[in-house]
Amino acid sequence: MIEVPVSTPQKAIIVQIEVTSLQKDQSAINAFAEFKDLSRSSGVEILGEISGKQDAPLASHFLKKGKIEEIKRSVEETCAEIVIINHTLSPSQERNLENEFNVRVVDRTGLILDIFASRASSHIGKLQVELAQLTHLSTRLIRAWTHLERQKGGIGLRGPGETQLETDKRLINNRIKTIKARLDKSHKQKKINQYSRMKSRNKLVALVGYTNAGKTTLFNRLTDNKQYAADKLFATLDSVTRKNIDPELSSILFSDTVGFISDLPTHLIESFKGTLDELKSADLLLHVVDISDPDYRFKVSQVDILLDELGISKIPQIRINNKSDIKNYDDYESRSDIESRQVWISAEKNKGLDQLRESISNTLFEGIYRGWISLDAKLGNIRSKLYSMGCILEEKISDIGTMYIFINMGNDELKRFTDMEGFNLIDEDDPFIQ
Ligand SMILES: Nc1nc2c(ncn2[C@@H]2O[C@H](COP(=O)(O)OP(=O)(O)OP(=O)(O)O)[C@@H](O)[C@H]2O)c(=O)[nH]1
Ligand SMILES: [Mg+2]
């Protein structure tokens, strides 16, 4: 694992330029706010903020001369140790800027990789981040190497620097191979676990959404868990799957996972593919949105793009408009529309969750039947089946052997039984009080 300094916070200057040719739907102000959050999440101390505007990135330094001078001055005045730039830089642009500023330069990809590195806690999470970092590093080394070669005019002289780079490159590639093999093994094991989940009939509901939308807060509510939720970007890195606590939703597993962000570095998507691939086996996605965020539409579109790239946009989805409390929406119930799969909630204040549960059971089971059935005495095998499905809550037997059973079952599953002779739904609260 590449070491991430955690002790004294590094002093940083942060830079964001509005580049007309790279303009997105997100406003520059909101993009800067997110960038600041990202920088803070990485643990640096921000000593200066520099913004600007230019038509297009410049090939050599990305930034224009005047801006470079401004940053240089700011670095000198504040004794900053690092300059963070909210764009993706090529390795040579990064190097050229470092030569100008005489301090380390980190681009958006490097920043996100750093945050991931400091957050990873599980074995798989750490391997995935290391893989992303090494892949990032190896492209930089290779380019640095070709750059050196060009300097020498391509003559076959092998300087010590070049040999070192070659060795580094080989070591990195070996390590990448080892990590990939280990990750493959871990993911195969997970696949086996998924298979046993399928056999046990549990449904998997995965929470997805932009980082900081409130996924983990909601997950904790639904599963009575205490996973780490915080006002930080990428608080969650490792997926966690837990059984839900609501008996009405019978056998549902909820899965909390890493949040998305716009321009997620491709190395990270690749490295996390194994984890994100688990989402493919989900029966339902809960797309959690921070409705109080002025930029929520842009963020929804970014999540949709990623879901599409991951090949999971066809899985049924419920759109969850979270943090409704901030918007002072107190009409959660009337706003929520179960048919169109939109609900308004406050995960923090525990509001609107009943509608959400109803929407989940409608989507997954076409609703839930919770009531009595009667079974003819000869249908003992059906009774055993209901037992093995874990949906029997109470049972009484009449003098003539008719079984009265109180069940909790999805309507989709119930349909398989209701055509059967001797299996009847009973419309009363208790068939014995007549
Ligand atoms: N006001 C309000 N705050 C909320 C609500 N839900 C979550 N939050 C806050 O939003 C912040 C982020 O919540 P998390 O649950 O960690 O968000 P997440 O989507 O899991 O974020 P990542 O794991 O970083 O992707 C925390 O400070 C929560 O307390 C809500 O309904 N209302
Ligand atoms: Mg989280």
Side-chain angles (χ1 to χ4, degrees), residues 211-217 230-231 234-236 322-323 325 346-348:
T211 179
N212 212 40
K215 298 177 295 297
T216 305
T217 310
D231 195 10
F234 302 114
T236 308
N322 189 32
K323 307 198 189 179
D325 55 304
S346 165
E348 187 136 292

Side-chain angles (χ1 to χ4, degrees), residues 161-199:
E162 184 179 330
T163 315
Q164 185 58 50
L165 279 166
E166 254 187 306
T167 317
D168 288 351
K169 210 175 79 181
R170 191 169 42 79
L171 287 176
I172 287 176
N173 284 338
N174 284 346
R175 179 72 186 144
I176 288 177
K177 265 190 214 140
T178 316
I179 296 177
K180 279 189 173 161
R182 282 199 199 157
L183 279 173
D184 264 0
K185 210 171 141 198
S186 306
H187 289 308
K188 277 205 186 99
Q189 183 56 43
K190 284 217 155 177
K191 282 235 163 65
I192 295 170
N193 296 346
Q194 279 169 19
Y195 176 70
S196 45
R197 174 172 66 77
M198 258 151 46
K199 277 183 64 178

Side-chain angles (χ1 to χ4, degrees), residues 14-18 28 32 49-53 67 70-71:
I14 62 173
V15 181
Q16 171 172 292
I17 305 297
E18 241 181 284
F32 206 178
E49 298 171 14
I50 292 179
S51 54
K53 230 177 182 179
K67 202 45 71 182
E70 186 185 340
I71 299 169

Side-chain angles (χ1 to χ4, degrees), residues 119 207-220 227-237 256-260 288 290 292 321-327 332 345-351:
R119 298 267 201 277
L207 285 88
V208 294
Y210 211 82
T211 179
N212 212 40
K215 298 177 295 297
T216 305
T217 310
L218 176 61
F219 174 83
N220 287 341
Q227 296 299 321
Y228 176 62
D231 195 10
K232 271 184 187 170
L233 304 187
F234 302 114
T236 308
L237 214 59
D256 183 24
T257 188
V258 58
F260 298 158
V288 184
D290 174 355
S292 74
N321 301 305
N322 189 32
K323 307 198 189 179
S324 296
D325 55 304
I326 299 179
K327 299 287 278 184
Y332 297 96
I345 69 159
S346 165
E348 187 136 292
K349 304 254 182 298
N350 206 1
K351 293 261 174 65

Side-chain angles (χ1 to χ4, degrees), residues 34-223:
E34 179 181 285
F35 174 42
K36 258 201 250 180
D37 280 346
L38 268 178
S39 305
R40 267 194 228 106
S41 297
S42 79
V44 297
E45 183 189 350
I46 301 171
L47 295 186
E49 298 171 14
I50 292 179
S51 54
K53 230 177 182 179
Q54 68 186 60
D55 295 338
L58 303 186
S60 63
H61 290 73
F62 191 97
L63 304 171
K64 293 208 295 206
K65 192 113 198 76
K67 202 45 71 182
I68 294 176
E69 290 305 322
E70 186 185 340
I71 299 169
K72 232 170 158 171
R73 274 198 304 278
S74 181
V75 168
E76 280 161 16
E77 280 164 18
T78 58
C79 296
E81 297 154 294
I82 186 169
V83 174
I84 310 177
I85 299 188
N86 192 21
H87 298 276
T88 307
L89 300 178
S90 74
S92 67
Q93 287 168 337
E94 206 173 283
R95 222 161 355 112
N96 292 340
L97 287 175
E98 279 177 352
N99 288 339
E100 293 283 349
F101 305 147
N102 278 321
V103 294
R104 200 156 76 88
V105 170
V106 172
D107 74 346
R108 184 175 168 91
T109 305
L111 177 62
I112 294 176
L113 283 173
D114 261 15
I115 298 174
F116 272 56
S118 63
R119 298 267 201 277
S121 60
S122 76
H123 177 61
I124 289 190
K126 283 183 176 161
L127 285 178
Q128 284 171 327
V129 175
E130 190 180 349
L131 179 60
Q133 284 183 315
L134 289 174
T135 317
H136 187 61
L137 194 63
S138 73
T139 58
R140 292 192 175 225
L141 278 182
I142 290 162
R143 300 223 196 146
W145 183 52
T146 47
H147 166 77
L148 270 185
E149 201 173 45
R150 215 174 329 116
Q151 267 186 346
K152 284 187 211 146
I155 304 167
L157 291 168
R158 301 173 72 86
E162 184 179 330
T163 315
Q164 185 58 50
L165 279 166
E166 254 187 306
T167 317
D168 288 351
K169 210 175 79 181
R170 191 169 42 79
L171 287 176
I172 287 176
N173 284 338
N174 284 346
R175 179 72 186 144
I176 288 177
K177 265 190 214 140
T178 316
I179 296 177
K180 279 189 173 161
R182 282 199 199 157
L183 279 173
D184 264 0
K185 210 171 141 198
S186 306
H187 289 308
K188 277 205 186 99
Q189 183 56 43
K190 284 217 155 177
K191 282 235 163 65
I192 295 170
N193 296 346
Q194 279 169 19
Y195 176 70
S196 45
R197 174 172 66 77
M198 258 151 46
K199 277 183 64 178
S200 72
R201 297 176 46 255
N202 283 323
K203 300 263 189 194
L204 183 68
V205 178
L207 285 88
V208 294
Y210 211 82
T211 179
N212 212 40
K215 298 177 295 297
T216 305
T217 310
L218 176 61
F219 174 83
N220 287 341
R221 289 268 178 231
L222 293 167
T223 59

